[in-house]
Amino acid sequence: MRHKSFKANLCPVARSLDAIGEWWSLLIVRDALGGIRRFSDFQKSLGLAKNVLSTRLKKLVACGILEQVPASDGSAYREYALTQKGRELFPVIVALRQWGESYLFSRGEQRLQVVDKRTGKPFRVQVRSAKGKILTVNDLELITLKN
């Protein structure tokens, strides 16, 4: 199914969906943040058909989220590495993970959780003002900017 393009939309969320809105794309980014770099490792982790994985990886490269680099082991293979643009999706992935932990698992149900590796404790992604105050949706306002 062909999706409508949001490339000209005024909303940054809509434009972001053009690049990362397909669910496999976010799972690829999640795995790349976890250190996966090779096509075969993405395929093994995701259980995804080669043609679908290839298409998603090409789009993430075209969007500047991943780049192909020489293999880290010096072999002739190419690997996929997150660009700065891709690494900056970290808080997005963590926020989605935390939302899922809060609302999509039953009490006591086994799940994966990201913790601070220095303390071993969970953490929360929060939206803060420039002065550090935690903001809620009630504190925000949507305005149109002109460049």
Side-chain angles (χ1 to χ4, degrees), residues 67-101:
E67 62 183 345
Q68 282 197 293
V69 297
S72 54
D73 63 5
S75 67
Y77 290 102
R78 305 281 291 167
E79 295 178 341
Y80 293 91
L82 287 163
T83 61
Q84 182 63 33
K85 185 177 181 179
R87 286 187 297 278
E88 289 187 18
L89 284 167
F90 172 71
V92 174
I93 298 293
V94 172
L96 279 172
R97 177 183 291 280
Q98 289 175 347
W99 181 84
E101 288 172 354

Side-chain angles (χ1 to χ4, degrees), residues 37-89:
R37 295 173 58 100
R38 291 214 172 168
F39 185 95
S40 60
D41 293 333
F42 283 114
Q43 187 182 26
K44 184 177 173 184
S45 172
L46 298 169
L48 190 54
K50 288 180 182 181
N51 64 324
V52 175
L53 178 57
S54 179
T55 299
R56 297 302 177 268
L57 287 168
K58 284 177 186 171
K59 182 170 183 181
L60 289 168
V61 169
C63 290
I65 294 166
L66 292 173
E67 62 183 345
Q68 282 197 293
V69 297
S72 54
D73 63 5
S75 67
Y77 290 102
R78 305 281 291 167
E79 295 178 341
Y80 293 91
L82 287 163
T83 61
Q84 182 63 33
K85 185 177 181 179
R87 286 187 297 278
E88 289 187 18
L89 284 167

Side-chain angles (χ1 to χ4, degrees), residues 109-127:
E109 184 178 359
Q110 186 176 15
R111 68 179 187 274
L112 298 172
Q113 184 178 44
V114 176
V115 296
D116 181 330
K117 72 175 159 182
R118 290 179 300 252
T119 66
K121 299 203 184 289
F123 56 91
R124 298 296 303 170
V125 171
Q126 298 173 322
V127 178

Side-chain angles (χ1 to χ4, degrees), residues 123-146:
F123 56 91
R124 298 296 303 170
V125 171
Q126 298 173 322
V127 178
R128 295 185 179 264
S129 71
K131 293 186 177 184
K133 178 184 177 254
I134 295 173
L135 301 174
T136 69
V137 68
N138 295 328
D139 297 314
L140 305 178
E141 175 181 21
L142 186 63
I143 62 171
T144 302
L145 295 178
K146 294 183 182 180

